[in-house]
Every structure is written in C-alpha cells, then in structure tokens.
Amino acid sequence: MSATMRALLAVAMGFTLVPPLSQTLRAETPAASAAVTPTGLVGNVLFAPRPVLGSDGLQHLVYELQLSNVTGERVQLKRLSIFGDADKEPLAVLDGAEIARRFSPGGRRGNESAELGGYQYGIGFLHVALPAGRAVPQRLRHEVEAWFGQFKVDAVIRLGPVAVTTSEPPVLGPPLRGDGYIAGDGCCDSVRHVRALLPLNGGFRLAQRFAIDWEKLGADGRLVKGDRKQVANYHIYGEPILAVRDGTIVDMRNDLPDQVPGALPDGLPISDADGNFAVLDIGGGAFVLYAHMKPGSVRVKAGDKVKRGDVIGQVGNTGNSSEPHLHLHVMDGPSPLLADGLPYVFEAFTVKAIDRAGTADFDRAAEMGTPVTLTPVVPPLAMRRALPLDLSVIEWGQ
C-alpha cells in the first residue's frame, strides 16, 4: 500500500494528520463532513476530576484517562495536550518521555510505557496544576498525537472530554496533635496512592487518590530512634488519632497485631490491608478512612457518634504497613477500597519544611534511619482550607 493510500485510510478512520502529510493530502481528500467516522484510538476519563487547593497556593486536578488502541498494530504516544473549556492554549502538555512516566498499559502500576500494542488499553495518571489566577475550568478536553503502525502515519486524535466537578471539598480538622508531621506519598505525583487503581467487583476503583501516610519526625529529622524493628521506637507510634469532623462511625476493626517494621508483609489478604481501622461518615456522601491503628486502641464501634477532636484510636503498624503511620483518605462510600477517592482540605495548618529531595530520600530515611533532607520554609507558611502536598512537614492548627 502506498503512503498516500495509507494516509487516506487514516483520514477515513477520523484522524487529523500531522503535517506534512496533511498538507500533501489536501488536494486529494474531499472536505471533511460532519458525519460520524471511526477512530483508531478511543479515550475516556474514569472519574470526573475535582479541584483541590494545595499548600503551594495552586488549584490541582488529579484524574485518570483511559486510552484504548482499537487498531491491530502498535501505537506510539508522542504528545498529550490538556485543554480547559474553549482555551486555545493547553493547560498542560506531556511529551513522549513524560507520557512514558505516567501511562500504564493495562492500568498496572510499574508497567509504564508510551506504547500500546494492538487492541490494548492503558491508563494515564494525570495531574494538572492550574496557573496562578486561572479559574478552575468547567470542562477538560484532550488531544493525543501518536504514531499508528497500521497506517504508518502520525496523527492527532481529540478525545476524553469531561466535565469538572466543582463542588467544595470537605473541610477537616486535624487528625493528629502538634508538629513535625510529614505528608508521605501525598498529592499529587507520588505513585503509591495516586496510582493505586484496583479492578474490583467488575470495575476500576481508586479510593486512595488523595491519601496521605502521616509520619512524624523527631528533632533530629529522623522517623525513628534506636532499633528500627521496634514499633515503639517510631516517633508517631501510639499518637492519639482524632475525629476530623462530627460524624458517625460506620465500620471498624481492632483485632490485628502490629507488623514488624522494615518491609511490607507477604501474602496479606485484601481484607487485612487496612489493618485496624475506622471509617467515619462525615455527611454529604463523604467518608474518612483511618488505617493501620495500634492493636486494641480503637475506641469506637459502628454506630457511634463522634465530635471533632474526639480520640478514636492510636497510630500503629497493622495491615499492609512497613512502618508506623496514619493512613488517611476521604472517599465517596463506606468501603475503604470499593470507592472513589475525594479531595479534601484541612481547616488550618502551617508548613514548616519540605523534603524537596523527593520520595527516594524519604524512603531512604525510613529504610536506614537517616534524617530526612529538609528545606525549611522561612517564614513558615500558615495555610487555611488547603491540602498539604507531598512531603510537606506541618504543624497542626486547631
């Protein structure tokens, strides 16, 4: 088949060709009609994105775009542009290298690639930090440039339009007391939570999209003092966990032992993943999960009414946990896994430092007992109604 015939076939599949092929074909191809045409790549957003104000002062959108190659040969994703409303300039552009860091064939974390095989799908884990002063868009749309092996052409596909849900996120009080708390694996680009997409009960769920693993630093910047295999040596172990809103406890567990720190447990059943936990219904279709609590420390049971600031348990190391911490997230249903993760904000907190060296540095500190590499925030940044971003070190307000 000649290059021109392949390109004509691509036009018939609904592609917008990338120049110079598109210029070559103008004289040979009839004017495009408004008729419905097939396309070689289809896409949809799994869950409507919801904005949240981060501790950097910017609005953030975190969501997932599923792309499916409906041709029989390889597709190479080269560029993804994200547009808001009727904007002519994109809010964000991902080149091939960035796509390869964010796009997972089959939705499998750790399987990132910018390629899709024939009849294969993948999930792009996307994050848009809106420019300062830019209003949250009402809609998003996507434009993908890709190489299609079946047609031997580069083409642009427009897909995945979605409305942005602009309802206000739940406002929470502090889940812990005092200062020195670091937001592990938080919003918006750390992978352990934001890419914890699970195929459950016949569909995808991502309850942990905005989850944070709260840990605590000592005065020397370390998470632990002494033997790292002893849970009681971690600064956060046994800290009281507080109700973040008035609400009703809808589920809990209190019978699992602490894990030995240092590694995630092998062969843990999914029913034990959250360890000892509590789920708090705070109204408006939002539920708060507190996970990995200390054995025997959970003070509440299903049906209990709690007030903001009530102690509901203590920080432990139960379930799927490698060192003591409080896992907290907000979701749209009472199941810790079979739900969609919602953004949320805290009423007041102060950012005192940030580990700008990133997740690798934090993981090394957890594994080796070394200090976290901190960049002080001078002066400390007092925030209201915002979400602490990844590896921020904060002091809680009231």
Side-chain angles (χ1 to χ4, degrees):
M1 184 184 297
S2 70
T4 299
M5 288 300 294
R6 284 195 298 268
L8 286 169
L9 180 57
V11 170
M13 289 288 287
F15 295 172
T16 300
L17 299 179
V18 176
L21 264 175
S22 58
Q23 297 170 356
T24 303
L25 289 173
R26 278 188 191 131
E28 311 175 37
T29 308
S33 70
V36 174
T37 56
T39 180
L41 192 66
V42 299
N44 65 284
V45 172
L46 296 184
F47 302 95
R50 300 168 181 260
V52 65
L53 178 66
S55 53
D56 59 356
L58 302 179
Q59 292 282 349
H60 295 261
L61 294 163
V62 181
Y63 64 101
E64 304 77 42
L65 175 67
Q66 180 172 329
L67 297 178
S68 299
N69 174 15
V70 295
T71 74
E73 296 187 25
R74 178 179 67 93
V75 168
Q76 177 74 35
L77 305 172
K78 302 176 74 172
R79 186 180 177 91
L80 169 62
S81 302
I82 304 169
F83 295 85
D85 298 324
D87 291 352
K88 290 184 169 48
E89 295 298 320
L91 295 170
V93 177
L94 283 66
D95 62 13
E98 184 64 14
I99 292 172
R101 286 189 285 268
R102 291 182 172 272
F103 190 78
S104 298
R108 180 186 171 197
R109 189 175 64 192
N111 192 39
E112 289 76 24
S113 173
E115 291 189 6
L116 284 174
Y119 309 120
Q120 187 180 42
Y121 79 92
I123 306 293
F125 295 93
L126 304 182
H127 168 219
V128 177
L130 296 177
R134 169 60 158 95
V136 175
Q138 294 183 333
R139 297 185 64 80
L140 297 177
R141 50 196 169 86
H142 305 83
E143 190 172 275
V144 178
E145 180 184 336
W147 166 261
F148 288 82
Q150 184 165 330
F151 309 110
K152 304 299 187 288
V153 294
D154 281 315
V156 175
I157 306 290
R158 296 179 180 90
L159 44 73
V162 64
V164 175
T165 301
T166 55
S167 57
E168 291 294 322
V171 180
L172 309 183
L176 297 156
R177 297 189 184 117
D179 63 3
Y181 293 99
I182 186 166
D185 293 310
C187 186
C188 296
D189 292 314
S190 58
V191 302
R192 293 186 182 113
H193 291 146
V194 79
R195 301 190 191 184
L197 186 70
L198 300 175
L200 300 172
N201 292 26
F204 281 125
R205 302 286 182 169
L206 213 173
Q208 301 183 64
R209 185 181 292 108
F210 294 97
I212 294 175
D213 284 344
W214 289 105
E215 302 199 35
K216 189 175 184 179
L217 301 175
D220 59 0
R222 289 178 166 89
L223 299 166
V224 60
K225 59 183 184 302
D227 185 355
R228 297 191 304 279
K229 296 295 184 181
Q230 300 297 319
V231 291
N233 288 346
Y234 286 77
H235 294 294
I236 199 169
Y237 187 77
E239 285 286 322
I241 297 169
L242 311 179
V244 292
R245 285 268 291 265
D246 296 356
T248 303
I249 300 296
V250 295
D251 200 2
M252 55 78 66
R253 187 170 184 177
N254 198 26
D255 64 329
L256 291 174
D258 279 321
Q259 305 288 357
V260 176
L264 293 174
D266 291 328
L268 194 73
I270 194 170
S271 59
D272 293 355
D274 295 311
N276 300 320
F277 72 92
V279 176
L280 176 64
D281 181 353
I282 60 173
F287 299 78
V288 181
L289 171 69
Y290 304 83
H292 312 303
M293 285 193 272
K294 181 179 176 180
S297 75
V298 182
R299 298 187 181 185
V300 293
K301 62 184 184 301
D304 284 354
K305 306 290 186 183
V306 300
K307 294 291 187 181
R308 174 174 158 168
D310 287 351
V311 175
I312 62 173
Q314 295 177 343
V315 176
N317 193 46
T318 56
N320 192 42
S321 180
S322 58
E323 68 260 2
H325 69 282
L326 169 64
H327 173 106
L328 185 140
H329 72 243
V330 179
M331 54 202 175
D332 66 357
S335 169
L337 294 176
L338 197 64
D340 184 38
L342 302 176
Y344 53 94
V345 295
F346 290 104
E347 181 67 45
F349 59 92
T350 300
V351 181
K352 304 184 81 171
I354 301 172
D355 181 0
R356 298 193 184 280
T359 298
D361 176 75
F362 182 76
D363 288 349
R364 185 166 50 252
E367 180 181 355
M368 305 298 294
T370 54
V372 173
T373 304
L374 296 178
T375 301
V377 175
V378 182
L381 180 63
M383 298 294 302
R384 293 190 61 83
R385 300 203 169 194
L387 179 66
L389 297 185
D390 188 39
L391 298 179
S392 298
V393 179
I394 71 162
E395 178 179 4
W396 290 109
Q398 300 301 314

